[in-house]
Amino acid sequence: MKILVVDDDQEIAQLLEIYIKNEGYEPVAAYNGEEALSKLNTENDIGLVILDIMMPVMNGIDVINAIRKDSQIPIIVLSAKTEDIDKIRGLSAGADDYVAKPFNPLEVMARVHSLLRRSKNEVTNDQPEIITADSLTINRDSHEVTTEDHKQIQLTAIEFGILYLLASHPNRVFSADEIFERVWKQESVISAKTVMVHMSHLRDKIENATDGKDIIKTVWGVGYKVEG
């Protein structure tokens, strides 16, 4: 999936592009409103827009109005303006969320994940029944994980949920907070240590059953993934 970043400040756009790549998405940049609309018309698979309000050529509010004529793509508004009236204008025009500058990029990515979850309305049963991850076969319905030599790995429900989440989105990096929210079905509250403990147990079980294979990868400072 691609995420369109629209900001006339190229340093801000480039910063967000780095975080978007780290989360497993493909960033697409535009530096004014008209360029943004052009990218939306010519690029395939753009699933979300991060949009500055104050821009040359065409401002963010006009871009939102143009997008909303024929698309419900999720939109996050960025703006140095913090007055309530500007937040209301952006949301009233059709934006889904609002982040004031200066911002923490991790907060922006958390909003991205939240919006994408809502827009996709992901349901476990919509995922494949049986998937593979390296030498593992993972059966969603029976909650069974087996190795290529037919050895079964006994996992707890949480461990299985983590593995299935990562394996069903190959190469996608999930932060500890996102794993917690998706597997525990709760908002993340000081969850990193909890995820790390379960991840450690899960990895030990997989490595013991597969002669030390490192199937779950750590992306340092970002999260975890299973490679496709």
Side-chain angles (χ1 to χ4, degrees):
M1 177 188 294
K2 298 175 183 176
I3 294 178
L4 177 61
V5 178
V6 190
D7 199 310
D8 61 309
D9 187 327
Q10 293 193 19
E11 289 187 2
I12 290 177
Q14 289 168 1
L15 175 64
L16 288 172
E17 286 182 74
I18 291 170
Y19 279 82
I20 288 167
K21 285 181 181 178
N22 285 342
E23 293 296 321
Y25 302 108
E26 180 181 345
V28 176
Y31 303 110
N32 62 62
E34 286 188 355
E35 186 180 359
L37 295 178
S38 176
K39 291 288 178 71
L40 282 169
N41 289 328
T42 58
E43 295 276 350
N44 295 322
D45 197 32
I46 292 179
L48 183 140
V49 179
I50 302 174
L51 175 71
D52 188 28
I53 286 182
M54 301 301 294
M55 293 185 297
V57 185
M58 177 185 287
N59 66 44
I61 300 299
D62 290 340
V63 174
I64 296 170
N65 288 331
I67 292 173
R68 285 292 177 252
K69 288 179 180 178
D70 56 15
S71 174
Q72 294 303 311
I73 188 172
I75 300 172
I76 298 175
V77 167
L78 302 176
S79 178
K81 294 188 173 183
T82 57
E83 293 86 351
D84 286 342
I85 187 62
D86 294 299
K87 178 178 180 180
I88 292 169
R89 284 183 66 212
L91 297 176
S92 297
D96 298 279
D97 206 348
Y98 185 103
V99 178
K101 295 179 180 180
F103 56 80
N104 183 333
L106 293 176
E107 178 188 357
V108 176
M109 295 313 303
R111 306 287 184 94
V112 166
H113 294 316
S114 178
L115 278 179
L116 290 176
R117 286 198 300 272
R118 274 186 271 166
S119 66
K120 290 178 181 177
N121 193 24
E122 292 178 338
V123 178
T124 300
N125 287 339
D126 290 338
Q127 297 292 342
E129 178 186 349
I130 297 175
I131 57 177
T132 59
D134 196 279
S135 59
L136 302 181
T137 299
I138 305 163
N139 188 309
R140 181 200 68 204
D141 292 343
S142 65
H143 272 226
E144 292 179 342
V145 179
T146 54
T147 65
E148 58 189 356
D149 57 356
H150 308 293
K151 185 186 302 180
Q152 187 167 330
I153 305 176
Q154 300 294 332
L155 301 180
T156 66
I158 291 294
E159 291 163 357
F160 182 90
I162 293 171
L163 178 61
Y164 187 87
L165 172 66
L166 298 178
S168 61
H169 298 79
N171 301 316
R172 162 85 157 81
V173 181
F174 288 87
S175 68
D177 285 347
E178 188 171 10
I179 291 171
F180 185 89
E181 291 175 4
R182 291 200 182 205
V183 175
W184 276 258
K185 307 296 184 185
Q186 301 175 29
E187 288 296 316
S188 173
V189 180
I190 316 177
S191 61
K193 289 184 179 179
T194 300
V195 172
M196 287 173 64
V197 170
H198 288 276
M199 189 68 73
S200 176
H201 294 165
L202 172 60
R203 280 173 149 167
D204 286 344
K205 291 180 180 181
I206 292 173
E207 290 175 8
N208 290 337
T210 61
D211 295 325
K213 283 193 174 182
D214 183 22
I215 292 176
I216 298 176
K217 309 291 185 181
T218 298
V219 180
W220 294 107
V222 182
Y224 307 91
K225 68 176 180 177
V226 167
E227 294 180 345

